[in-house]
Amino acid sequence: MYGEFELIQRWLAPARPGSADASGVSLGVGDDASLMQPTPGHELVVSVDTSVEGQHFPPGAPAAALGHRAVAVSLSDLAAMGARPRWCLMALTLPDANDDWVAEFARGFHAVCDSAGMVLVGGDVTRGQRAISVTVMGEVPTGQALRRDGAKAGDVLAVTGALGGGAGGLAAWQGGARDMEQPLLKRYLLPEARWQAGEVLRGLANAAIDVSDGLLADLDHVLNASGVGAVLDSASLPLADGLAAELGQDAAIEAALCGGDDYELLVSLPPSRVAQTKAELLALGIELTPIGHLTETPGIQGVKIPSRAGWQHFHGGTS
C-alpha cells in the first residue's frame, strides 16, 4: 500500500518541473505550487467542481469511469465559456490508499485530460469519504468569453447532443445495469465535455451554459442573467437514445427537462447564425437542435414545469 506522496508521484504527476513548453507549464507537480504561463491577450477561465460518493456518483462505480467523469464535468464549465482547456488541479479524498483503484482512476482521468490537451499541474490526496475536487483552467481571447447574460429576445434556443441521458443512466444503474457499453449508463458515468463545441460557439452564440442541473434550472439562470423569457417546444427536445424505452415517454421528457448530469451546452443564437452554427458543429460530429426561442416576457412558456425543476444541493435530487 502506498502513502500520499507515493500515490501522487506514481499516478498523478504527469507534468514535470522544467522550462515552459507548449503546455505553458514552467513548474508542475512537485513543489508547493505550480507555475503556468497564460497566452498573451487571453483571459484565464477558472472553475471548480466537487463530486462526493453517494451524492454525485454511486458507490461501486468503476474507478476509471469516476476519473473520466470528474474531469469531464469540470471541463463542461470551460466549454460553456468558450474556453480552450489548459491546466487542472485535483484534490482526491480516499478511504484507503488502494493502488489498483487509483491506477484505474488515473487512467480515466488522464485520458480525458489528454483528449482535451489539458495538463494536471498539482493537487492533493487525503484520507476520508471518497470525494474528488477538480479545478480546471482555460483561456479565451480577451473579451470573447461566452456568458449567461448575453441572451436577447428573438434569439433561438438550442442544445448540443441529447438530453435526459444522465437521469436515464442513473435509473439504469439503480436498476442493476453495470455494462459500461449500455448507452444510458455510458452517458451518466462517461459524459462528453463539449469543449470543442464551446470554442466553435464563441463569436456565434450570444449566451451559453452547460446543462448540469437540468435544462429548466440552467435555462432559468440564463433568463435571470439576461432579463428575458423563453418559449420551449417539448416535442423538439432531443432525447437520449433508449431514454423513452427505459423510462416511458412522459418520464423521458421530464428527465430531459429536469434530470441534469447531461453536460450538453444550451445556447442562445441570433436566427441568422443558426444554420452556420449547426454546420460547424456537425463537422465535429455534434448535433445542434433548436428547442425554442427567447422573448421579452419573463418566465418559461410552452412546457409544464414540474415541481422539481432541477438539482439543488440540500434540497434533495437524483444525482
Side-chain angles (χ1 to χ4, degrees):
M1 182 176 291
Y2 292 94
E4 171 190 354
F5 301 115
E6 290 83 3
L7 280 176
I8 292 172
Q9 194 61 43
R10 186 174 177 85
W11 301 117
L12 305 175
R16 298 288 184 254
S19 59
D21 54 19
S23 71
V25 180
S26 53
L27 183 62
V29 177
D31 214 305
D32 289 311
S34 301
L35 301 174
M36 289 86 72
Q37 296 183 4
T39 304
H42 286 66
E43 293 178 292
L44 191 62
V45 183
V46 182
S47 180
V48 62
D49 274 292
T50 297
S51 298
V52 179
E53 187 172 63
Q55 185 81 356
H56 302 94
F57 59 86
L66 295 183
H68 173 117
R69 193 175 193 278
V71 67
V73 301
S74 293
L75 272 174
S76 187
D77 289 326
L78 294 187
M81 303 293 288
R84 179 166 66 98
R86 296 298 308 276
W87 312 287
C88 64
L89 301 164
M90 176 176 60
L92 184 60
T93 304
L94 300 171
D96 55 67
N98 184 307
D99 188 56
D100 292 338
W101 190 96
V102 177
E104 281 298 290
F105 174 88
R107 180 173 65 84
F109 189 95
H110 290 312
V112 177
C113 287
D114 291 346
S115 71
M118 187 169 66
V119 180
L120 178 65
V121 295
D124 186 39
V125 176
T126 190
R127 185 172 183 174
Q129 179 185 359
R130 198 183 312 274
I132 311 147
S133 291
V134 178
T135 299
V136 289
M137 292 164 274
E139 294 179 333
V140 63
T142 300
Q144 295 184 29
L146 295 171
R147 296 166 51 142
R148 299 178 180 184
D149 61 1
K152 297 175 174 59
D155 280 357
V156 173
L157 275 176
V159 291
T160 61
L163 299 172
L170 176 61
W173 175 276
Q174 292 171 337
R178 295 295 183 268
D179 180 2
M180 292 303 298
E181 293 305 312
Q182 203 264 22
L184 292 176
L185 194 58
K186 193 171 184 178
R187 293 269 306 182
Y188 173 56
L189 288 176
L190 298 171
E192 292 186 54
R194 301 297 191 183
W195 59 271
Q196 292 174 303
E199 291 194 70
V200 167
L201 290 163
R202 195 173 66 219
L204 292 172
N206 283 334
I209 192 171
D210 76 317
V211 182
S212 55
D213 297 326
L215 177 68
L216 292 180
D218 291 314
L219 172 58
D220 197 50
H221 295 321
V222 173
L223 302 184
N224 289 333
S226 298
V228 294
V231 176
L232 295 180
D233 177 11
S234 60
S236 298
L237 295 175
L239 301 181
D241 289 345
L243 185 65
E246 176 76 20
L247 303 180
Q249 185 66 22
D250 290 344
I253 291 174
E254 183 168 342
L257 291 172
C258 307
D261 276 335
D262 284 323
Y263 304 103
E264 298 291 352
L265 298 182
L266 172 66
V267 298
S268 163
L269 293 158
S272 61
R273 296 178 187 164
V274 173
Q276 178 188 352
T277 305
K278 290 181 70 172
E280 292 195 24
L281 290 178
L282 193 59
L284 296 173
I286 301 170
E287 296 276 355
L288 183 74
T289 304
I291 60 170
H293 63 276
L294 297 181
T295 71
E296 294 180 355
T297 304
I300 300 174
Q301 315 291 325
V303 295
K304 181 180 179 181
I305 308 296
S307 58
R308 179 187 61 82
W311 167 259
Q312 291 189 54
H313 287 283
F314 311 114
H315 288 189
T318 59
S319 292

